[in-house]
Structure formats: structure tokens, C-alpha cells
Amino acid sequence: MTSKLESLNQWVADVAQLTQPDAIHWCDGSDAESAALKAHMLADGTLIELNQHTHPGSTLHRSHPDDVARVEHLTFVCTPEREDAGPNNHWMAPSEAHAKIDALFDGCMRGRTLYVIPYCMGPIDSPLSRCGVEITDSPYVVANMRIMTRMGAPALARIEREGHFVKGLHSTGELDPNRRFIMHFPQELTIKSFGSGYGGNALLGKKCHALRIASHQARQEGWLAEHMLILGIENPQGDTHYIAAAFPSACGKTNLAMLIPPEGYLKDGWKVWTIGDDICWMRPGPDGRLYAINPEAGFFGVAPGTSKKSNPNALASIQSNTIFTNVGVTADNQPWWEGIDNGQAPMTDWQGQPYNPAVRPAAHPNSRFTVSAKQCPSYSDMAEDPHGVPISAIVFGGRRASLVPLVFEARDWTHGVLVGAAMGSETTAAATGAVGVMRRDPMAMKPFCGYNFADYFGHWLSFDQPGAQLPKVFHVNWFRKGDDGKFLWPGFGDNLRVLEWMINRVDGKVGVQATPIGNLPIEADLNLDGVTLSDEAHAKLFGIDHAGWQAEFASIGDYLAEYGPRLPQALKDEQQRIAQA
Ligand code: GTP
Ligand code: SPV
Ligand code: MN
């Protein structure tokens, strides 16, 4: 097969010339194609069948033990000018980067099949959607892309109509961490990834395209590509407000996106609808509001901690047709992970060895499930709406054991941009490296912004224009800990209490308590019926430590200063104002 688009045929031919595959397969996305690929992967051990009575259609993939997470130190943004990538990215000159990675691609597909995956990020008929083509030698990547994107014939038809697409070239290589790079060429709308089969490194539609390349395009075209979940909250009167929330990797997006209201709220008729759990593309609509789509079609979610209690919607979603990566298995071949809390026990760990908690956990801390969004009971029909959903509130949040209260509101858009730019969070297992280290992660985009953060903050500020109906901006922290090291806030479903307060703010129904960090709730305005909080919890979740915040403001100032003169003056002024308040 070839395409009607000559530039696509030519690129595939050039890549084949370089990589020397035994065969070329153009993916049409059909069920027959998927079944054949799956049979092939079951036969060669890439996939292992799970218990088909309890988990029909589901499989397990065990990755190479050195290939379990994103590799930020090997991820590059290759702009012609180093300054355009910014201090927030690792940079390499495009010519050097191409030479380095093409040397790895040279002949790398000998004995393998080259798959051509045309895909669309976003509903196939949405003007907000963007298309790409990933070339890969990994059938596991094909299977995951089929769940995570709109992949195959309809995407190819759109690409042929539009005549352009983002190019992504991927090979698992030898899975050698010393021969691994994830490179982005925003000016060429090109991605090259070698040596990893892991999600964010290998499913190029996801972080590489939908965030790093798309953020560059979004800046040029006047929209935003963000690391955000999107959810809808329907109140008992039937009105739905949409909220987009940016939390860093493994900091609660999937869980919030699939939230099930606490008992009292359910009784009153509240509903939460899932639009997306990881990426949000939004742009101003004709009425001045920001309209958002989820560019993805599936969830690539963190398995550990997912239980009937913490995230029933996720658990319901993954009962069938799910690819599990790096989880443990029980004696009767069901998937298992720490915190699944279903009364079962693991027999085999994620490396396929007999489970021994003294050696390693049963599931890798960054083990994941890949599943179609359509299997999620709370998935909203509006997720397929080509116009997107209007956003009432934007929420920023990090994993902060100390200092940061449960929730506060930014005074206005500019302050909101500063609150996003100043975000800090403790690192997680989603990327290789130390876990639990506090770092600045502006808008949860530190690993994902395809250009200089100084310009990115400027782009955010630019949305404040006459006629704009911008969302209110909030900051949350579900992860504040007490002196005993335990979380002070119950989190999960109870987070709806905080979201309800935000909606009441949007609707002008409740007041605030103004403080130097922003507007805090008046505690009586938050519905805490059924939640028991200790005195320590009350004090730390709803109070502010002025001395601690002075130090935090100084640290934010030092961080922003790293961006030098390129940092927008309006953001510097806002920072000054707050530090002196
Ligand atoms: P990525 O897919 O890496 O972008 O992660 P994510 O932001 O979607 O995070 P996810 O919802 O998968 O949550 C990651 C971890 O945080 C899981 O172990 C959750 O159980 C835990 N978590 C999520 N929400 C809460 C919460 O409200 N409170 C607490 N204490 N933990 C939470
Ligand atoms: C994240 O790390 O933020 C994820 C998983 O959502 S990955 O697709 O690997 O980036
Ligand atoms: Mn993510």
C-alpha cells in the first residue's frame, strides 16, 4: 500500500532506505489487523495473555527492566537557536541531532517490519485536531497507538486531504539506555525516538507530538497545548461546568478526571464526566471563552494505587481489552499491583520472577494500563464534540508535603499565570531519576514544553485580551502531609468538595479571604459534611505560614530569574508585587 500523498510516500521510502526493514506495513486500524498483530505478539512473548474469564481481551507486556519510564535527560528539543529551546529543555543543534540519531537508525530495522501509523489527535472531524504519522518497528507501539489515538484509514484520509502531518520516527533499537534519544525538531514538525519502547518515549502521538511539537504550533497559531485533564461537573440542576487541571506526572490527573462524587453529593444528583485525563488542547472560541478538546482516545494510566475505592471508574474501564505494562500477576493470572486492594495476592512480579517484597514490588511504581476511553463509565459524549467544551476554571496543582494549602484562587489572569509558572512538585516514578525531590514544574509542563518557558509564559499572558472570557485560575494541593507523614486531606472523591467551591466562585456565589498568596476559601463555604479533619489538618489545609511563603516567594523569584531578560515584564512585575505583599 501507499498513500495518495506523495510527500508521505517519499518519507516512508527514505526511512525504509535508512532503516532497511524486511517488510513495510501500512496500518489501517481495522479489527483484523489488530487481531493479527496481537496473535503475532502473543506468539513471540511480547504480550502475555491474562485470565480471559476475569479480563477478556487483556494482555500483559513486560518491558526491558531498564525501559520503564520517560528519560528526561535523553530528551532533546532541537531548535536552530539554543535560546529558543530555553533553559527548561536539553538542546542539541538540529544538524548534530539528526546525524547522531540517524546513525542509530541506520539499518536498525533489519529483520523487522516497519509499521506506518497514520493518526489523528482529537476527534477526526474537529478543526482543533492535528494529524501525524508514526513509523515504528514495534508492534506493541502499534497496539498502544490504536487505543490512544484515532489511528488508521480515517486519519490517513484526513492527512491526504490536508497535505501535511507531524512526522514521528521510532525504533526500539536494542533497548540499550546508552543508545537512546528522544529528539524533537519543532521547526520541521519532526520527532525521532530511538532505543525505548516506553509510553512517553515511544507512543509519539502523546507527549512528543501532543505536547512538545503541539505547544510550538499552538504558540504560532494562538492556542494552548497543555498537560491537563478535562472534566465536566454536572450539578443537581443539570448544569455542567468544565474544568481543566494541570498536575505533574503521577500527581492525580487520571484520578480527578474519573472522580466519583462522595455519598452526599451522589444522593443530591451530582455527576462528574470525564473528557480527558492527560492532555488538553484549547483555544478561544467566538464567545471569548476557551474551548478544549482531549486529543487522545485512550488512557495510559498509572496502575499502582488504582482500586475500587480510589478510582472505581478506572477499575471498571480496565476489566477488558486492556494492555497492562509491568504489573504483577496472581496465581490465577490476573493483573495485580500495590494498592489494588481486592483481597488477592501477587505470585509473579513485573519482571516475571516469583514475588518477593524484599527484592522488588510486584508492580513497577510506573506500571501502566492502556485502555480505550470509550470503556470508561464516566466518559462524556462531549469528548467527541468537534467544537470542544468551554472551560470555566483552570487548576494548577503539585505534590507538596508542606507549606502549600489545599486550595487558593488567583486574583486575576496574570496572577494565575504566575501561580502556574511558580508550581513546584515532588518528582515521581513517571520519569527515571530520584523520586520525591521538589522541583519547579511550571504548568506541569517542565518535561513537555517544546520551547523556552519565558516565551511560553508570555504566550499564556497574551490570552488576556479585550473580549476574552477567561477561566478563573486556582491552585490545589491534595498531598499536604501532617507531622506523622500521612496525607491530611482524604483526596480522591472528596476532591469534588474543592471543585464545587471553585464553581461557586465562578458563579459568584461565595466570597473569599484575601491573602498574599491569593484568595483562600472561607472555611464555612466548603462543604465538609462527612469529612473528619484534625486540628492540625484544619490549620495546615486552610492556613498560611507567612514566613514559609516569604522563603517560597524568594525561591520562585530565583527560579524565574533563570529565564533572564526574556521573561515577560508583566510576570516579573507580578512576582515583585507578591514578594513585597
Ligand atoms: P500521569 O499519567 O503520569 O500524567 O499521572 P496522573 O497525573 O494522571 O496521576 P494519577 O491520577 O495516575 O495518580 C498518581 C498517583 O497519585 C496514584 O498513586 C494515585 O493513587 C495518587 N493520587 C491521585 N489522586 C490523589 C489524591 O487526591 N490524594 C492522594 N493522596 N493521592 C492521590
Ligand atoms: C506522564 O509521565 O506524564 C504520563 C505517562 O502521562 S507518559 O505517556 O509516559 O508520558
Ligand atoms: Mn501525563
PDB file of all heavy atoms in Angstrom, residues 63-74:
ATOM      1  N   SER A  63       8.245  -4.973  30.007  1.00  0.00           N
ATOM      2  CA  SER A  63       9.253  -4.229  29.250  1.00  0.00           C
ATOM      3  C   SER A  63      10.650  -4.665  29.692  1.00  0.00           C
ATOM      4  O   SER A  63      10.804  -5.383  30.681  1.00  0.00           O
ATOM      5  CB  SER A  63       9.086  -2.728  29.480  1.00  0.00           C
ATOM      6  OG  SER A  63       9.677  -2.354  30.707  1.00  0.00           O
ATOM      7  N   HIS A  64      11.646  -4.195  28.962  1.00  0.00           N
ATOM      8  CA  HIS A  64      13.012  -4.369  29.435  1.00  0.00           C
ATOM      9  C   HIS A  64      13.111  -3.642  30.787  1.00  0.00           C
ATOM     10  O   HIS A  64      12.607  -2.526  30.927  1.00  0.00           O
ATOM     11  CB  HIS A  64      13.974  -3.763  28.405  1.00  0.00           C
ATOM     12  CG  HIS A  64      15.406  -4.073  28.692  1.00  0.00           C
ATOM     13  ND1 HIS A  64      16.089  -3.457  29.712  1.00  0.00           N
ATOM     14  CD2 HIS A  64      16.263  -4.939  28.111  1.00  0.00           C
ATOM     15  CE1 HIS A  64      17.323  -3.943  29.741  1.00  0.00           C
ATOM     16  NE2 HIS A  64      17.445  -4.843  28.780  1.00  0.00           N
ATOM     17  N   PRO A  65      13.761  -4.242  31.788  1.00  0.00           N
ATOM     18  CA  PRO A  65      13.811  -3.612  33.126  1.00  0.00           C
ATOM     19  C   PRO A  65      14.459  -2.222  33.139  1.00  0.00           C
ATOM     20  O   PRO A  65      14.222  -1.447  34.064  1.00  0.00           O
ATOM     21  CB  PRO A  65      14.640  -4.596  33.964  1.00  0.00           C
ATOM     22  CG  PRO A  65      14.674  -5.868  33.194  1.00  0.00           C
ATOM     23  CD  PRO A  65      14.388  -5.576  31.763  1.00  0.00           C
ATOM     24  N   ASP A  66      15.249  -1.912  32.112  1.00  0.00           N
ATOM     25  CA  ASP A  66      15.848  -0.568  32.041  1.00  0.00           C
ATOM     26  C   ASP A  66      15.014   0.394  31.216  1.00  0.00           C
ATOM     27  O   ASP A  66      15.488   1.463  30.845  1.00  0.00           O
ATOM     28  CB  ASP A  66      17.238  -0.638  31.379  1.00  0.00           C
ATOM     29  CG  ASP A  66      18.268  -1.216  32.308  1.00  0.00           C
ATOM     30  OD1 ASP A  66      18.103  -1.069  33.531  1.00  0.00           O
ATOM     31  OD2 ASP A  66      19.216  -1.842  31.805  1.00  0.00           O
ATOM     32  N   ASP A  67      13.784   0.014  30.911  1.00  0.00           N
ATOM     33  CA  ASP A  67      12.982   0.833  29.997  1.00  0.00           C
ATOM     34  C   ASP A  67      11.563   0.923  30.536  1.00  0.00           C
ATOM     35  O   ASP A  67      10.637   0.335  29.986  1.00  0.00           O
ATOM     36  CB  ASP A  67      13.009   0.188  28.596  1.00  0.00           C
ATOM     37  CG  ASP A  67      12.308   1.049  27.562  1.00  0.00           C
ATOM     38  OD1 ASP A  67      12.342   2.282  27.689  1.00  0.00           O
ATOM     39  OD2 ASP A  67      11.721   0.462  26.625  1.00  0.00           O
ATOM     40  N   VAL A  68      11.414   1.683  31.611  1.00  0.00           N
ATOM     41  CA  VAL A  68      10.156   1.666  32.366  1.00  0.00           C
ATOM     42  C   VAL A  68       9.545   3.050  32.565  1.00  0.00           C
ATOM     43  O   VAL A  68       8.510   3.182  33.204  1.00  0.00           O
ATOM     44  CB  VAL A  68      10.385   1.035  33.759  1.00  0.00           C
ATOM     45  CG1 VAL A  68      10.710  -0.440  33.651  1.00  0.00           C
ATOM     46  CG2 VAL A  68      11.509   1.771  34.505  1.00  0.00           C
ATOM     47  N   ALA A  69      10.177   4.101  32.035  1.00  0.00           N
ATOM     48  CA  ALA A  69       9.691   5.459  32.310  1.00  0.00           C
ATOM     49  C   ALA A  69      10.266   6.425  31.280  1.00  0.00           C
ATOM     50  O   ALA A  69      11.142   6.056  30.486  1.00  0.00           O
ATOM     51  CB  ALA A  69      10.114   5.893  33.718  1.00  0.00           C
ATOM     52  N   ARG A  70       9.773   7.667  31.315  1.00  0.00           N
ATOM     53  CA  ARG A  70      10.347   8.676  30.435  1.00  0.00           C
ATOM     54  C   ARG A  70      11.783   8.967  30.857  1.00  0.00           C
ATOM     55  O   ARG A  70      12.155   8.833  32.022  1.00  0.00           O
ATOM     56  CB  ARG A  70       9.520   9.970  30.477  1.00  0.00           C
ATOM     57  CG  ARG A  70       8.197   9.870  29.693  1.00  0.00           C
ATOM     58  CD  ARG A  70       7.423  11.177  29.716  1.00  0.00           C
ATOM     59  NE  ARG A  70       6.962  11.491  31.045  1.00  0.00           N
ATOM     60  CZ  ARG A  70       7.537  12.330  31.887  1.00  0.00           C
ATOM     61  NH1 ARG A  70       8.605  13.014  31.510  1.00  0.00           N
ATOM     62  NH2 ARG A  70       7.052  12.517  33.084  1.00  0.00           N
ATOM     63  N   VAL A  71      12.603   9.344  29.886  1.00  0.00           N
ATOM     64  CA  VAL A  71      14.013   9.634  30.167  1.00  0.00           C
ATOM     65  C   VAL A  71      14.268  11.112  29.841  1.00  0.00           C
ATOM     66  O   VAL A  71      14.579  11.461  28.716  1.00  0.00           O
ATOM     67  CB  VAL A  71      14.956   8.709  29.360  1.00  0.00           C
ATOM     68  CG1 VAL A  71      15.023   7.334  29.999  1.00  0.00           C
ATOM     69  CG2 VAL A  71      14.509   8.571  27.906  1.00  0.00           C
ATOM     70  N   GLU A  72      14.103  11.959  30.845  1.00  0.00           N
ATOM     71  CA  GLU A  72      14.177  13.401  30.569  1.00  0.00           C
ATOM     72  C   GLU A  72      15.586  13.820  30.170  1.00  0.00           C
ATOM     73  O   GLU A  72      15.753  14.725  29.356  1.00  0.00           O
ATOM     74  CB  GLU A  72      13.659  14.187  31.785  1.00  0.00           C
ATOM     75  CG  GLU A  72      12.172  13.893  32.021  1.00  0.00           C
ATOM     76  CD  GLU A  72      11.538  14.663  33.169  1.00  0.00           C
ATOM     77  OE1 GLU A  72      12.239  15.487  33.809  1.00  0.00           O
ATOM     78  OE2 GLU A  72      10.343  14.430  33.437  1.00  0.00           O
ATOM     79  N   HIS A  73      16.612  13.145  30.720  1.00  0.00           N
ATOM     80  CA  HIS A  73      17.988  13.535  30.386  1.00  0.00           C
ATOM     81  C   HIS A  73      18.367  13.147  28.959  1.00  0.00           C
ATOM     82  O   HIS A  73      19.373  13.613  28.440  1.00  0.00           O
ATOM     83  CB  HIS A  73      18.973  12.945  31.407  1.00  0.00           C
ATOM     84  CG  HIS A  73      18.999  11.436  31.424  1.00  0.00           C
ATOM     85  ND1 HIS A  73      17.908  10.675  31.793  1.00  0.00           N
ATOM     86  CD2 HIS A  73      19.971  10.556  31.101  1.00  0.00           C
ATOM     87  CE1 HIS A  73      18.220   9.392  31.704  1.00  0.00           C
ATOM     88  NE2 HIS A  73      19.462   9.290  31.281  1.00  0.00           N
ATOM     89  N   LEU A  74      17.559  12.302  28.316  1.00  0.00           N
ATOM     90  CA  LEU A  74      17.856  11.905  26.933  1.00  0.00           C
ATOM     91  C   LEU A  74      16.856  12.515  25.950  1.00  0.00           C
ATOM     92  O   LEU A  74      16.811  12.139  24.780  1.00  0.00           O
ATOM     93  CB  LEU A  74      17.831  10.370  26.819  1.00  0.00           C
ATOM     94  CG  LEU A  74      18.841   9.641  27.725  1.00  0.00           C
ATOM     95  CD1 LEU A  74      18.630   8.131  27.667  1.00  0.00           C
ATOM     96  CD2 LEU A  74      20.277   9.992  27.307  1.00  0.00           C
TER      97      LEU A  74
END
